Amino acid sequence: MTNAFVSIVMCTYNGARFLEGQVQSLITQTHQNFELIICDDCSTDNTPDLLKGYAALDQRIRLFINEKNIGYNKNFENAIKKAAGAYICISDQDDIWLPEKIEKLLELIMKGESVLAYHNVIAFTDRPPYEKKVNRKINVLNSSDEAVNIFHNSISGHTMLFNRSILADNISFPPNVYYDWWLSLLALTKGKIAGTNEILSYHRQHDANASAKTGHKKFLSAKECDEKIIAYKAFLSMPGMSSRSITMLNKLIKYYTGLQGRKFSMPLFKYLLSNSATFLKYKKIGFLYINILKTCYRMSRVH
C-alpha cells in the first residue's frame, strides 16, 4: 500500500445540509496522508460557517472562500491549482465516500501504471422514496485511446483520482466545457486510465446537482446539442490529441452543427453508427443490434 500524498479537492455552494456527512467520510479515509482543499463559491446559507468550524478542528483542511461567485467549473479549476499532492481526488459536497476509496483508487492507478483511475457509484436520493441504484448500464473504461471518451463524457469528476502530472503548469479549463470531461480526455492523451466497477462512494441525486440533465430523458435538447459542439471545438486545441481523434472531432462538429435547428440528422446517425464500437464503448448495450441503432438514433435527434 502506498502512502502517497493526496489532495482532495472539494467545491461548495449552498451545501450546508449535506456537508457533515461528506466531510466526515473524507477525513476518516483509511488513507490518511492527504490535504482537503475546500473552495466555497460565495454560499448564501451557513456553509462558510460550517466549513470554518471543520477547518479549525483539522489542520489538513485548507479553506478558501471566493470573493465573488465564479461557477463550479472555474471553482474546480482554482481549487485544483491550489493542490500540492502527487495525486488529486475530486469531491462533490453532497456525496458519501466509502472509507477505503482513496486507498483503492491509489492501488488501481499504480497497479496498471495509469494516470487516472475511477470507480462506479451507488446513486441515492435523500427524499422519499429514498431510492438507491447501481448503474449497471455502463462499462468502465480501461484504455489509452482518447477517442473512447470523445463523443460523450462517461467519467464523472466525483469518481476520479488522477496523477497531477497530466496537468500543464498553467491549468485552464475551457469555458462552457465540463471540467471532468476535459480532465478525462487530457488524461487519455497522457497515458492509460483504469476503471473499476467496485462501489466506492454514494452519489446523492437531487434537483440542485450542478450536472443535472435537463430536457427529454432520451433525446438531446437544443442546449445539449450546442454544448457538444462547444466541447468538440475545445478538444481540438488539446495538446497530444491524435490525428484520428482530430478527424473524428471535426466530423462530429460538422454533423452536430447540421443538426442545429432540425429534428434529426441522417448523416450524423450514420456516422455514430459506423463508430459505435468506439463512441459507445462506455455503454452496456448487449448483443442486440437494435440497441445500438436506438442509441445512435437518440443521439441524432433533438427533442
Side-chain angles (χ1 to χ4, degrees):
M1 182 173 65
T2 178
N3 196 37
F5 185 49
V6 176
S7 295
I8 305 172
V9 172
M10 180 167 74
C11 292
T12 60
Y13 179 71
N14 289 352
R17 68 189 179 103
F18 310 121
L19 286 174
E20 182 178 0
Q22 175 64 322
V23 171
Q24 185 66 20
S25 78
L26 300 181
I27 64 176
T28 56
Q29 288 288 298
T30 56
H31 184 92
Q32 283 285 296
N33 188 22
F34 68 84
E35 63 176 355
L36 171 55
I37 296 170
I38 304 177
C39 288
D40 184 72
D41 203 18
C42 294
S43 291
T44 56
D45 63 0
N46 65 327
T47 292
D49 292 333
L50 290 174
L51 294 176
K52 290 174 184 176
Y54 299 142
L57 294 173
D58 194 320
Q59 63 181 3
R60 296 171 300 181
I61 299 176
R62 298 170 57 202
L63 175 61
F64 303 88
I65 298 177
N66 297 338
E67 294 182 357
K68 62 179 182 179
N69 184 278
I70 58 177
Y72 74 93
N73 226 43
K74 193 69 177 178
N75 201 19
F76 268 113
E77 177 186 309
N78 289 347
I80 290 172
K81 286 179 179 178
K82 302 178 189 301
Y87 296 90
I88 299 172
C89 206
I90 304 294
S91 170
D92 281 355
Q93 66 180 355
D94 47 7
D95 293 348
I96 302 292
W97 287 13
L98 272 64
E100 65 277 12
K101 169 171 170 166
I102 294 178
E103 177 185 342
K104 291 196 171 184
L105 285 180
L106 280 173
E107 290 176 354
L108 181 62
I109 202 171
M110 292 183 175
K111 179 180 178 182
E113 297 182 342
S114 304
V115 295
L116 182 148
Y118 74 108
H119 62 88
N120 204 347
V121 302
I122 288 180
F124 75 102
T125 58
D126 58 354
R127 297 178 180 176
Y130 305 108
E131 296 177 302
K132 291 183 179 180
K133 185 186 302 182
V134 178
N135 189 352
R136 303 189 188 279
K137 296 182 179 180
I138 62 167
N139 290 313
V140 294
L141 301 176
N142 290 277
S143 179
S144 57
D145 178 12
E146 69 267 13
V148 300
N149 210 44
I150 275 181
F151 170 66
H152 174 80
N153 181 24
S154 61
I155 303 177
S156 297
H158 61 86
T159 69
M160 66 172 61
L161 177 146
F162 59 91
N163 191 314
R164 70 173 300 111
S165 66
I166 72 170
L167 302 172
D169 292 335
N170 182 24
I171 304 167
S172 180
F173 299 150
N176 303 314
V177 177
Y178 292 116
Y179 79 92
D180 47 4
W181 198 358
W182 181 264
L183 279 173
S184 62
L185 272 183
L186 188 62
L188 282 164
T189 66
K190 303 293 186 181
K192 295 186 295 185
I193 62 171
T196 176
N197 266 317
E198 186 170 4
I199 304 300
L200 294 178
S201 71
Y202 291 85
H203 178 55
R204 193 186 307 264
Q205 294 187 326
H206 52 82
D207 292 341
N209 282 126
S211 58
K213 179 177 172 63
T214 58
H216 198 278
K217 289 183 179 180
K218 294 182 178 180
F219 305 111
L220 293 175
S221 66
K223 178 183 177 183
E224 288 167 331
C225 180
D226 293 342
E227 287 174 346
K228 280 187 172 292
I229 296 170
I230 292 169
Y232 298 150
K233 288 181 177 179
F235 296 152
L236 285 174
S237 67
M238 182 177 289
M241 193 69 71
S242 70
S243 58
R244 170 173 169 259
S245 294
I246 289 173
T247 297
M248 288 178 164
L249 286 167
N250 280 317
K251 288 187 176 181
L252 286 168
I253 292 167
K254 174 184 175 182
Y255 293 135
Y256 272 106
T257 300
L259 181 60
Q260 290 178 310
R262 302 173 58 190
K263 292 286 187 181
F264 177 73
S265 169
M266 180 58 75
L268 174 59
F269 171 72
K270 290 180 178 179
Y271 184 67
L272 296 182
L273 191 60
S274 65
N275 289 279
S276 59
T278 298
F279 292 158
L280 304 182
K281 192 176 181 66
Y282 71 93
K283 192 176 182 65
K284 283 186 178 177
I285 48 183
F287 296 101
L288 297 178
Y289 191 64
I290 188 66
N291 290 332
I292 298 174
L293 289 171
K294 286 167 62 177
T295 301
C296 292
Y297 174 73
R298 289 168 179 168
M299 292 297 101
S300 304
R301 178 180 168 185
V302 172
H303 187 271

